[in-house]
Amino acid sequence: MNTPPEMTAPPEIAGVAPAPAPAVAVELRHLSHRYGEVLAVDDVSLDIIEGEFLTLLGPSGSGKSTLLMMIAGFLAPTSGHILMSGRDIGAIPPYRREMGMVFQNYALFPHMTVAANIGYPLRLRKLPRAEIRRRVDEALDMVGLGGLGGRTPRQLSGGQQQRVALARAFVFEPKVLLMDEPLGALDKKLRQQMQVELKRIHRQLGVTVVYVTHDQEEALTMSDRIVVMRTGRLEQVGPPAEVYNAPRSAFAADFLGDSNLVTGRCVERAGELVRIAVGDDRSLWAAGGCAVDATVTVSIRPEQLHIAPAGGAAADALNRWPGTITDKVYLGDAVRYRVDTGGTFLLAKRQEGGATRQLDVGAGVELTWPPERATVLEAP
Ligand code: ADP
């Protein structure tokens, strides 16, 4: 086993003031909600940053909607506080919180035209008619429905109806847009198209978005930060790449896609890296901390494992495990191999095409991976 390269700290930059703390749009402080016996949201504290696209991601029942409904003001917290600009908004009703809301079922008024639906929040706020017309037209253009203001919702497709709901949510220039699985009712292709449009609209408006989904791909592609939720608590909060590449728990690793979880004993620490003994004759280097002799689990994403024919891997790789392919699955643009590395089975995903030739089941291979792409998970 090679030793890790020396870790050097980044040089200090003299005379540069630290960046100012980002402005907080909404502050959640020790927020809980209980439905009878069920503690749906359990002591959640979080700063939602102005202008960010924040996604609440978690399985069904993890408390995402309950948390969103409390922010919107439709549900009162059992305990805890919600602050905007430092002010507790607990006593402020939903329609005065300056938050737009989009649900999965579009909740449009069926008897009103599209323009009247979008203009509704502006009429509530008693804006002059000419101003309403101008803003509705702008909103229609923004969601790509210019010219369709005279139709009723029934004369629109599902995707178009959701655009109307979106326009109605942002037309009054709310500080925060709350969206609960807004694309959940659309088919995959339309959903992906709407994801791109939602991101564009978020950029153009510069509004703070809190977005609920159970779809990890959607969360990874759209968010500035992801909040992974589990049974009412925040499991992990961070930018998509961080949550994906450095999950803190087996739950987060597993929920954000396939992951190899390897358990072993911590035997050595060197800078930011640790060496984990797996079984009697293998060890691996990973990023993170652990006490020597502690039993730990390491997460490695399948696409971080480089698979090469036996003898074909870089000789100086810090992590190099031989193995045998036991299965392979063709995924369209990639192939996922299952490799037996002496009792530990690992999944390795490789893009195929061009010069790379598919490897066969039964073939002897070598797996290599950078230590910083293997993450030691926190103990559960
Ligand atoms: P998610 O949005 O992540 O699917 P929810 O916030 O809807 O989760 O639900 C969190 C938990 O609260 C679940 O256990 C759910 O069964 C429960 N729950 C949600 N709404 C109610 C309700 N109106 N009455 C009782 N229990 C509820």
Side-chain angles (χ1 to χ4, degrees):
M1 184 63 60
N2 298 319
T3 48
E6 217 159 60
M7 291 282 157
T8 50
E12 293 286 328
I13 302 168
V16 177
V24 176
V26 183
E27 205 180 319
L28 312 180
R29 281 204 200 146
H30 300 291
L31 210 56
S32 296
H33 187 84
R34 183 180 281 286
Y35 301 100
E37 293 285 287
V38 180
L39 188 55
V41 171
D42 182 7
D43 193 27
V44 165
S45 292
L46 179 71
D47 284 351
I48 301 168
I49 308 300
E50 227 163 66
E52 78 172 327
F53 196 114
L54 182 85
T55 298
L56 308 179
L57 173 71
S60 176
S62 56
K64 307 180 297 291
S65 295
T66 302
L67 186 54
L68 200 74
M69 287 299 151
M70 284 195 280
I71 299 172
F74 294 117
L75 266 182
T78 308
S79 59
H81 301 276
I82 303 173
L83 291 85
M84 277 179 95
S85 316
R87 253 180 76 219
D88 192 324
I89 58 169
I92 299 178
Y95 66 94
R96 290 192 45 219
R97 290 193 178 189
E98 293 305 300
M99 296 182 182
M101 182 99 206
V102 187
F103 301 94
Q104 177 173 338
N105 53 354
Y106 325 117
L108 298 175
F109 303 113
H111 56 284
M112 285 188 196
T113 63
V114 164
N117 264 284
I118 297 174
Y120 183 77
L122 303 176
R123 289 200 300 284
L124 272 185
R125 288 167 176 77
K126 307 208 179 330
L127 265 67
R129 273 172 58 183
E131 172 76 5
I132 293 179
R133 201 169 315 129
R134 187 185 62 78
R135 288 227 215 157
V136 168
D137 283 344
E138 258 180 36
L140 276 168
D141 282 341
M142 194 124 166
V143 296
L145 293 179
L148 299 186
R151 293 203 188 170
T152 61
R154 215 166 299 141
Q155 294 168 309
L156 299 179
S157 70
Q160 287 173 324
Q161 289 183 40
Q162 194 54 305
R163 286 162 202 256
V164 176
L166 178 63
R168 187 179 59 181
F170 70 68
V171 73
F172 62 98
E173 298 176 354
K175 292 202 173 73
V176 181
L177 262 180
L178 305 174
M179 304 198 219
D180 195 346
E181 305 257 2
L183 310 181
L186 309 178
D187 64 51
K188 185 165 182 194
K189 202 159 171 204
L190 191 54
R191 203 160 68 223
Q192 287 174 336
Q193 188 189 333
M194 286 292 287
Q195 286 168 2
V196 175
E197 291 202 30
L198 272 179
K199 279 301 285 179
R200 173 182 57 80
I201 289 168
H202 169 245
R203 257 195 317 275
Q204 281 178 356
L205 296 173
V207 67
T208 308
V209 172
V210 184
Y211 191 94
V212 165
T213 185
H214 64 268
D215 180 335
Q216 50 107 359
E217 223 177 283
E218 188 161 288
L220 288 171
T221 53
M222 298 185 74
S223 320
D224 295 316
R225 283 196 304 161
I226 294 177
V227 175
V228 181
M229 290 193 68
R230 177 191 194 182
T231 53
R233 302 186 72 105
L234 308 188
E235 183 83 358
Q236 186 168 2
V237 182
E242 185 182 301
V243 178
Y244 185 80
N245 290 318
R248 275 175 42 188
S249 63
F251 177 86
D254 204 42
F255 197 73
L256 273 110
D258 290 333
S259 194
N260 294 296
L261 300 177
V262 181
T263 298
R265 190 171 54 86
C266 184
V267 289
E268 185 181 347
R269 301 204 308 207
E272 313 264 301
L273 302 183
V274 291
R275 188 160 68 88
I276 313 293
V278 182
D280 294 334
D281 59 347
R282 251 161 228 217
S283 69
L284 62 86
W285 285 98
C290 54
V292 168
D293 268 347
T295 298
V296 294
T297 300
V298 174
S299 159
I300 316 163
R301 296 287 179 197
E303 62 273 25
Q304 301 297 349
L305 285 177
H306 182 261
I307 185 167
D316 60 349
L318 218 43
N319 290 316
R320 182 153 54 100
W321 281 17
T324 308
I325 297 177
T326 60
D327 297 284
K328 67 175 183 179
V329 179
Y330 187 57
L331 302 170
D333 57 344
V335 174
R336 194 176 56 215
Y337 297 97
R338 188 161 178 267
V339 179
D340 181 357
T341 62
T344 302
F345 288 85
L346 297 176
L347 292 176
K349 190 166 152 186
R350 192 171 76 157
Q351 301 296 319
E352 299 288 338
T356 49
R357 200 174 54 80
Q358 275 194 35
L359 299 160
D360 296 321
V361 171
V365 292
E366 280 175 336
L367 295 172
T368 53
W369 66 97
E372 63 277 9
R373 291 303 194 188
T375 308
V376 177
L377 302 177
E378 284 178 10

